[in-house]
Amino acid sequence: WSSAPMGANVYDQMGRDEFAEATLGCPTLDPLVHKVFCDVDRFNVAMTTDVAGVEFCAVLKNVVALGVGFAAGQDLGSNTRAAVIRRGLRETMAFAKKFGENVSDDTFLESAGIADLMTTCFSGRGQRVAAAFVRGGGVRSWPELEREVLGGHQIPDWHNVQMVYKFLAAKNATQDFPLFATVYEIGFMRAPPSQIVEVLKR
């Protein structure tokens, strides 16, 4: 069986021995597996059998983070960014419920859910690259921006945006997830970044 550990655990902060936590999606709540993780001081791990929910959160947080970055690139403040996160969480929950099986509402309140979403949106690399995309006029390629902003480090965020949109298009469901669709349209179809605010009004 496979497991999915996800959560708000930025590595440089963990390297400074700061507290962090994670959610371990595991088909069986094996106490031995839990003990292995809990033996690490300052790292709290909660287990859930909702592997699908954990994995949906891990992918979709990147889409939301780019949306926050598009807002940041326009110098929009915390009110707008929080609104993007709120809408993003709502669409994440709807996506997981629509396309997953037996996804638990509790998962979205765990570290893999809201905590990882907030961390990724406020301090993740994807939102930094998305902000640079907007400030550069939306014409520079994502690999180019990765090289400039992240020193060549590659991230999954913009790849996940493409993957999610293509999946929704194949399911004829883009209209059901307007924030996710708008993030794709800004990042890959030259839609104006101002659309990230317009979609919040719907």
Side-chain angles (χ1 to χ4, degrees), residues 59-68 157 160-161 164 179-180 183:
V59 171
L60 297 173
K61 70 178 183 182
N62 298 140
V63 182
V64 184
L66 259 65
V68 171
D157 301 49
N160 286 353
V161 170
V164 168
L179 178 69
F180 292 170
V183 170

Side-chain angles (χ1 to χ4, degrees), residues 29-170:
L29 299 180
D30 188 332
L32 180 60
V33 173
H34 190 247
K35 183 178 186 304
V36 169
F37 281 96
C38 285
D39 278 347
V40 181
D41 191 32
R42 295 182 180 274
F43 187 49
N44 187 56
V45 178
M47 292 184 69
T48 176
T49 56
D50 183 16
V51 180
V54 170
E55 291 180 334
F56 277 126
C57 288
V59 171
L60 297 173
K61 70 178 183 182
N62 298 140
V63 182
V64 184
L66 259 65
V68 171
F70 293 152
Q74 300 172 76
D75 296 321
L76 299 173
S78 58
N79 289 342
T80 306
R81 299 181 205 187
V84 174
I85 293 171
R86 182 196 62 79
R87 176 65 69 88
L89 177 61
R90 190 168 76 180
E91 290 195 14
T92 296
M93 295 174 70
F95 189 106
K97 292 285 190 177
K98 185 178 182 71
F99 300 114
E101 293 184 5
N102 301 318
V103 173
S104 171
D105 288 340
D106 290 342
T107 301
F108 303 106
L109 300 178
E110 292 290 346
S111 185
I114 185 62
D116 201 9
L117 176 62
M118 291 174 63
T119 300
T120 302
C121 287
F122 283 111
S123 62
R125 294 174 293 179
Q127 59 88 22
R128 289 166 48 202
V129 174
F133 174 85
V134 171
R135 290 174 181 137
V139 297
R140 301 175 67 189
S141 73
W142 292 98
E144 180 184 359
L145 289 165
E146 283 179 330
R147 288 192 295 272
E148 178 180 301
V149 178
L150 306 178
H153 288 282
Q154 296 180 332
I155 55 174
D157 301 49
W158 59 273
H159 298 285
N160 286 353
V161 170
Q162 291 178 303
M163 178 179 65
V164 168
Y165 185 84
K166 289 176 182 178
F167 176 84
L168 290 174

